[in-house]
Amino acid sequence: MSPTQSGFNRRRFLKYSGAGLIALAAAPAVASCASPGTNESMLRLGALFPVSGTNALLGEESWRGVQIATDLRNAAGGVAGKKIELVFADVPDVNTATSEARRLVFNKNIKLGLGTYGSSLCLAASEVFARTGNAYVELGAVSEAITNRDYDKVFRLNPTAADMARVHMEFIEQYLAGALNKPVSELRVLMLHEDSSYGQSIVKLAKNAAADIGLTHFEAEPYSAKSTDLSSTVLRMKNLKPDVVLAVSYAADAVLLGRQIRDNDVKLGAFVGTGGGHSLASFQQALGSSADGVFDVDFTQIHVNKSFTPGIGDFVSEYRTRWNSEPASGHSLSNFTGALMLFDILEQTGGNDDPELFAAAARRFNLEAGTTPAGWGYQLDEHNQNQLGSMYVMQWSGSKLETVYPPEAAVRAPQLITPFGL
């Protein structure tokens, strides 16, 4: 059993993690010094995440997951006897992602990079690694374009936006249609979405997925995430009388939309978020009991079947110890899981970060679903996309976002509760 699949010895971790934590916390400063790259005793990897700027909240959350995975693995002996050192780069925007990727490759002799949370950031950073013959592993960005470019040394371990759309439609077909007592062909589904490239790309994928299940009454309604009043959008939605509303929102607009649905007393059969703002604790804190019953499709959350997610307890315990809080989203767990998979692949190369050796090992590596802390398995397709990373359906109940679908990952069955009630 690989370290990704097994639990960790907490006492051993606490004994050895101190130095690793200090090194990681100081990584931005350390990264400015000269680096010889990987050697006989040290495996040096580039880590690119936005911990400042507009993407800082979930960029930092993603980085936290990688930090925990690295310290746990170092406490367990590292990779093939080598200690892992992450050479960090803060990448708040596309231009910085490009320049920092070049700095890591040319100045720090980094052959393998990981990151990045944001799709545009990943596209920029991975382009540099790919065009210089190096390898890049994405742990959290969801755009289909990342792996559709077919760079032979760019890999993604997390599920994608298309997986999110597929789970939306699968949940409608397998649960909501029956719960609402309507065949799929008669359901009226409306997708409300913020109008940036993020929302537009999800809508396009959702339309294709809707056609696959015979969902013919599917409409989309865009809005600006910067708007301070969404009442006109809510009233149009009320007039359409949808059975199911799907929503693609950031943090502030998710709360605003929920409040205005509640305040206009709009009765919906079901409301399903698409990650983003609907996964954040701040959404439930702002809406209170009005959030009860809201579904959400996203990366694995911590309220999940523990037998399907071995090792999640170690992750949650370490997160709480370090930051005295619950994880802010599923991004930390997803990046934790992806980093552990990456380390297992590097174990197969003997801790050698040579891009060709790594790429060959990455394509050979396999894990079954239900054997990692996020419940994911691992098997690459011809585009270097992991086919066994999954999105799940969660539902808000009080302060908990509980996994309700699929059954093997669920902590309880889904409940059809009118969302945003007064």
Side-chain angles (χ1 to χ4, degrees):
M1 180 177 290
S2 73
T4 300
Q5 297 164 283
S6 63
F8 297 91
N9 185 310
R10 178 174 171 78
R11 183 174 297 174
R12 187 181 182 197
F13 169 70
L14 292 174
K15 179 179 178 182
Y16 292 106
S17 65
L21 286 172
I22 293 170
L24 284 168
V30 172
S32 64
C33 304
S35 170
T38 293
N39 57 27
E40 292 78 8
S41 61
M42 190 73 69
L43 175 61
R44 291 187 172 92
L45 308 173
L48 300 90
F49 291 95
V51 297
S52 63
T54 57
N55 293 312
L57 173 63
L58 295 182
E60 172 68 27
E61 188 70 8
S62 302
W63 170 228
R64 287 180 175 187
V66 174
Q67 290 180 64
I68 294 174
T70 302
D71 279 348
L72 285 172
R73 191 53 173 262
N74 279 335
V79 171
K82 295 183 180 182
K83 182 179 179 181
I84 306 159
E85 181 181 302
L86 301 179
V87 184
F88 181 81
D90 179 15
V91 291
D93 55 51
V94 169
N95 289 336
T96 307
T98 298
S99 62
E100 285 295 272
R102 291 179 62 83
R103 179 180 67 85
L104 292 178
V105 168
F106 293 110
N107 296 351
K108 302 300 178 182
N109 198 25
I110 297 298
K111 295 181 174 64
L112 175 58
L114 62 91
T116 319
Y117 165 63
S119 293
S120 61
L121 303 176
C122 174
L123 286 166
S126 61
E127 186 84 12
V128 172
F129 277 82
R131 288 185 175 272
T132 54
N134 293 296
Y136 199 87
V137 178
E138 181 55 41
L139 306 179
V142 299
S143 170
E144 302 303 308
I146 290 168
T147 48
N148 284 351
R149 294 172 299 171
D150 284 336
Y151 284 132
D152 65 350
K153 298 183 188 69
V154 174
F155 303 84
R156 176 164 47 193
L157 309 190
N158 60 278
T160 72
D163 294 315
M164 186 174 282
R166 177 186 56 78
V167 171
H168 267 304
M169 297 307 157
E170 185 178 300
F171 187 59
I172 288 172
E173 184 179 39
Q174 298 296 320
Y175 173 74
L176 288 178
L180 293 167
N181 199 29
K182 285 189 175 183
V184 171
S185 60
E186 293 182 15
L187 283 176
R188 297 184 63 84
V189 177
L190 174 67
M191 177 167 268
L192 300 177
H193 66 95
E194 60 81 32
D195 59 4
S196 76
S197 58
Y198 166 55
Q200 292 171 23
S201 64
I202 296 290
V203 168
K204 182 178 179 180
L205 292 164
K207 285 180 177 178
N208 293 335
D212 290 341
I213 66 167
L215 180 60
T216 55
H217 302 292
F218 180 91
E219 296 187 53
E221 176 77 22
Y223 67 87
S224 171
K226 298 177 182 179
S227 177
T228 58
D229 183 7
L230 293 174
S231 58
S232 59
T233 298
V234 170
L235 289 175
R236 283 195 295 274
M237 177 187 67
K238 188 174 185 178
N239 290 334
L240 288 171
K241 298 180 180 178
D243 300 297
V244 179
V245 171
L246 311 177
V248 186
S249 307
Y250 290 111
D253 51 312
V255 172
L256 179 61
L257 187 60
R259 283 176 173 161
Q260 295 195 322
I261 292 172
R262 178 193 63 193
D263 296 346
N264 283 279
D265 195 27
V266 181
K267 301 302 181 185
L268 302 172
F271 185 98
V272 189
T274 309
H278 294 103
S279 296
L280 299 175
S282 57
F283 172 75
Q284 191 281 329
Q285 291 163 359
L287 288 165
S289 61
S290 294
D292 285 355
V294 170
F295 294 105
D296 184 47
V297 176
D298 202 0
F299 292 146
T300 314
Q301 307 292 315
I302 63 171
H303 300 293
V304 63
N305 183 349
K306 300 300 188 290
S307 64
F308 191 69
T309 53
I312 192 173
D314 299 284
F315 162 77
V316 173
S317 176
E318 296 306 330
Y319 192 103
R320 289 170 176 162
T321 297
R322 296 177 191 216
W323 293 290
N324 195 32
S325 69
E326 298 289 293
S329 77
H331 288 78
S332 50
L333 175 58
S334 297
N335 279 262
F336 172 77
T337 299
L340 291 179
M341 288 179 177
L342 170 60
F343 300 153
D344 280 355
I345 295 168
L346 285 164
E347 192 77 36
Q348 306 303 309
T349 71
N352 192 329
D353 62 352
D354 175 85
E356 295 291 345
L357 290 176
F358 174 78
R363 294 187 185 101
R364 290 193 306 266
F365 189 67
N366 280 281
L367 287 174
E368 293 183 2
T371 60
T372 67
W376 301 345
Y378 179 99
Q379 184 176 10
L380 294 182
D381 67 8
E382 67 275 15
H383 303 292
N384 292 338
Q385 169 63 48
N386 180 18
Q387 292 296 284
L388 299 182
S390 300
M391 298 282 187
Y392 301 137
V393 182
M394 281 66 66
Q395 187 175 31
W396 281 105
S397 178
S399 62
K400 294 182 179 180
L401 188 56
E402 297 175 325
T403 308
V404 296
Y405 183 88
E408 60 269 22
V411 295
R412 63 171 174 85
Q415 297 177 311
L416 199 61
I417 299 170
T418 301
F420 305 119
L422 294 171

